[in-house]
Amino acid sequence: MPEADVSKKEKNYHADIPQKTEGFFLKGAGSLDWGMKNRLSRIFNPETGKTVMLAIDHGYFQGPTTGLERIDLNIVPLMPQADALMMTRGILRTTVPPSITKPIVMRCSGGPSILKELSNEHLAVDIEDAIRMNVAAITLQVFIGGEFESRSVHNMTRLVDMGMKYGIPTMAVTAVGKDMVRDAKYFRLACRMCAELGAQIVKTYYVPEGFETITSSCPVPIVMAGGKKLPELDALTMAYNAVQQGASGVDMGRNIFQSTAPKAMMTAVTKVVHENMKPKDALDLFKTLKNEKK
């Protein structure tokens, strides 16, 4: 039998103080379920509202990308520095130590290789397998304007529906094909469509003109895609500008793991995203950390 509550102290229910109804720090997430918010709080730092994801999923369509030839040697040592890790289930199961506690954003689309039409994708991961792997979010490409646009949008809505059943957020990645214009008008369209159809996070590319119109017109957090490898100062400047113009963080891959000093670059990007460090100061930090390793 449980013991009776026999405390002599008078109970205080604070009836004069209404219970505070907490909001939520991420845009557009206030009405989501507790489990969904909890997973988002693992991906995004609740103190800053930002994230630095490390994207290493490139091999799902282009094989052993430069810098990703040996993920066990080149990438696993970087993982503790990231807020979240974006990858495929194959790499997670074969290469990532289970002791890594960083939230996983799992690539769930696939099909064609770099040799074919990339927009011809299908869903490639069952939601039950994502649950088995304890992922924090699920993600896929959405090819607005691509040859198989409707299929990719349908893939996304199916993934959103499956994620909603189990409290797992979906991140839609706005893919850009060879013939698509990379400007604010296009990304406003693509990002808004993804959010309107249920994605809880949108990953998209930075554009120097009008990026703030993309973030402001999208009702869910936008994470900036790192894109192709740039000189370190250019990459840090792009990350800084994106965050200053409304992005809720970055999802970088090549600009980190193809850097001459990936750990130093990871630290510099984190300072830019979470502490608003100016790009030139972040570059100086990068150089200092790089030289310390020599």
Side-chain angles (χ1 to χ4, degrees):
M1 292 289 290
E3 294 183 2
D5 184 357
V6 294
S7 174
K8 293 183 179 180
K9 291 181 65 176
E10 183 178 351
K11 294 181 180 180
N12 190 343
Y13 295 100
H14 298 289
D16 58 325
I17 304 176
Q19 178 174 319
K20 185 177 181 180
T21 302
E22 296 286 352
F24 194 64
F25 67 94
L26 279 181
K27 178 168 69 170
S31 297
L32 297 176
D33 294 334
W34 189 94
M36 188 86 74
K37 290 179 181 176
N38 180 261
R39 287 182 171 89
L40 289 169
S41 298
R42 293 164 55 197
I43 297 169
F44 295 89
N45 186 323
E47 294 184 5
T48 64
K50 306 294 191 299
T51 187
V52 176
M53 292 188 198
L54 178 60
I56 59 168
D57 61 325
H58 306 67
Y60 94 96
F61 70 96
Q62 62 183 31
T65 306
T66 302
L68 298 180
E69 300 94 338
R70 285 293 299 272
I71 288 176
D72 58 329
L73 300 178
N74 299 336
I75 303 301
V76 170
L78 297 176
M79 290 181 177
Q81 292 181 263
D83 293 313
L85 306 167
M86 181 177 174
M87 68 181 72
T88 62
R89 63 177 171 181
I91 291 301
L92 182 62
R93 280 199 168 105
T94 62
T95 314
V96 179
S99 56
I100 293 288
T101 58
K102 296 295 180 177
I104 303 299
V105 179
M106 177 159 291
R107 164 68 60 180
C108 292
S109 60
S113 73
I114 193 72
L115 305 176
K116 299 289 184 177
E117 170 54 46
L118 289 177
S119 66
N120 189 19
E121 283 196 339
H122 297 269
L123 288 183
V125 175
D126 185 84
I127 189 65
E128 291 184 355
D129 205 25
I131 294 169
R132 273 190 290 272
M133 290 179 283
N134 195 32
V135 304
I138 43 185
T139 185
L140 80 170
Q141 300 286 116
V142 181
F143 296 84
I144 303 301
E147 182 178 349
F148 294 92
E149 174 187 82
S150 293
R151 176 183 294 167
S152 71
V153 171
H154 183 55
N155 289 341
M156 185 196 73
T157 56
R158 287 173 58 205
L159 199 63
V160 168
D161 287 342
M162 290 189 289
M164 290 296 290
K165 289 181 180 179
Y166 301 101
I168 302 176
T170 296
M171 181 172 79
V173 181
T174 61
V176 177
K178 297 177 181 179
D179 301 323
M180 299 178 196
V181 178
R182 295 193 181 202
D183 60 14
K185 182 179 180 181
Y186 170 77
F187 288 123
R188 284 196 301 267
L189 169 66
C191 293
R192 184 60 177 262
M193 283 184 66
C194 292
E196 292 261 0
L197 292 170
Q200 287 82 26
I201 313 166
V202 176
K203 173 181 172 180
T204 198
Y205 292 93
Y206 179 76
V207 291
E209 294 185 12
F211 187 73
E212 70 281 358
T213 67
I214 302 169
T215 59
S216 62
S217 62
C218 183
V220 301
I222 281 184
V223 175
M224 186 207 78
K228 66 181 181 180
K229 176 67 175 72
L230 301 171
E232 276 73 15
L233 179 58
D234 292 346
L236 292 167
T237 300
M238 181 174 66
Y240 179 84
N241 290 340
V243 169
Q244 296 304 309
Q245 294 169 30
S248 296
V250 301
D251 187 12
M252 281 190 166
R254 286 168 287 181
N255 279 299
I256 290 175
F257 61 71
Q258 290 181 356
S259 170
T260 55
K263 284 189 175 182
M265 189 61 177
M266 194 76 172
T267 299
V269 171
T270 298
K271 290 286 187 180
V272 166
V273 171
H274 288 300
E275 300 180 22
N276 294 315
M277 181 178 279
K278 296 295 179 61
K280 289 184 178 179
D281 294 332
L283 181 65
D284 289 340
L285 175 63
F286 166 78
K287 291 179 178 178
T288 299
L289 295 173
K290 178 181 177 181
N291 290 333
E292 288 177 355
K293 299 297 182 182
K294 292 182 179 179

